Amino acid sequence: MAADDRLTRSEDELARRLRDAHRRVRAVPVPPAQRERLAKRLLSICDLAKRDLPHAAGRLDLFLLDLDALVSDTPSAGNIAEGD
């Protein structure tokens, strides 16, 4: 890896948040079809991050808010681990 290939601080932060979001999607207690929709939505945000970091960060913020609402609406939300 060349020195020029290193991530900027904002790129590194977004990459960390995307990785954490993937872990949360895997752990959310929803039916498989709903988990698949969440995963596809998250993958579209990952794809957008290749071209437009600020827009991807904004979409990720909204996605995480929706994910938080989904988790808090589930009956066993108090027993959910944040990921592995």
Side-chain angles (χ1 to χ4, degrees):
M1 175 184 242
D4 295 347
D5 292 342
R6 291 200 175 118
L7 297 177
T8 65
R9 179 167 289 175
S10 61
E11 291 168 336
D12 188 53
E13 174 67 16
L14 182 60
R16 184 192 58 76
R17 292 178 62 218
L18 287 168
R19 183 186 66 234
D20 291 344
H22 278 282
R23 287 180 179 155
R24 291 183 60 193
V25 166
R26 278 196 322 261
V28 70
V30 295
Q34 189 172 7
R35 181 175 291 112
E36 184 177 342
R37 284 192 300 275
L38 289 169
K40 285 181 180 181
R41 185 174 166 199
L42 186 53
L43 286 174
S44 71
I45 295 169
C46 291
D47 186 55
L48 178 62
K50 297 174 188 175
R51 298 179 307 279
D52 188 347
L53 238 61
H55 190 193
R59 286 193 48 200
L60 180 59
D61 289 338
L62 293 174
F63 177 80
L64 292 174
L65 287 173
D66 289 347
L67 193 58
D68 288 341
L70 178 67
V71 168
S72 67
D73 288 344
T74 58
S76 62
N79 299 327
I80 299 172
E82 279 297 315
D84 49 3

